[in-house]
Amino acid sequence: AELPPEGQARLLPLLPECDRDPAALQRAMRSEQFEQAFMNWQQQLASGEYDPACAEMVRARRSAAERKAKRAQDLGRERLRQAVSGAPPLGSA
C-alpha cells in the first residue's frame, strides 16, 4: 500500500514546514511505520470508523471489546488471588 505521487503532492502542503522536503517525504513513505499506519487507516476506513452513519456501531463494538477485556482482566485477578492465597473462588461457600 503506497501513496501515489499525486497523493503525496497533495499531502506535502499540509505538513509542517520542517517536514516538506520531498526527499524526506519519500523516505518516510517507504518506512515500515508509515506502511503499518497506512494499512491500519485503510482498515478503519473500510470498517466505517470514520463514517458518521456508522459511529454508533463502532462505539458499540468498542464498548463490547472493553467489557470483554475487563472481564478477562477480572478473571485473571481472581485466579491470581486464588493461587496466591489458596482461597476458594469468590462467591463459592
Side-chain angles (χ1 to χ4, degrees):
E2 187 174 307
L3 191 60
E6 53 276 358
Q8 293 178 29
R10 288 186 15 227
L11 174 65
L12 208 54
L14 302 173
L15 295 175
E17 189 72 39
C18 61
D19 293 331
R20 291 186 187 172
D21 174 33
L25 181 62
Q26 285 293 324
R27 284 191 302 277
M29 294 287 174
R30 290 189 302 269
S31 77
E32 187 176 326
Q33 288 175 316
F34 178 80
E35 181 77 22
Q36 185 63 45
F38 189 67
M39 288 178 6
N40 287 342
W41 177 78
Q42 286 180 320
Q43 291 170 348
Q44 291 170 341
L45 192 61
S47 73
E49 189 154 338
Y50 300 108
D51 183 351
C54 297
E56 184 59 38
M57 177 185 66
V58 170
R59 269 194 298 276
R61 281 184 189 165
R62 280 193 182 138
S63 180
E66 288 169 3
R67 285 191 307 272
K68 182 177 178 181
K70 183 173 179 349
R71 281 193 306 270
Q73 188 178 37
D74 291 345
L75 181 60
R77 281 190 193 127
E78 175 60 17
R79 287 181 179 159
L80 179 60
R81 185 189 70 77
Q82 290 172 19
V84 170
S85 68
L90 289 177
S92 65

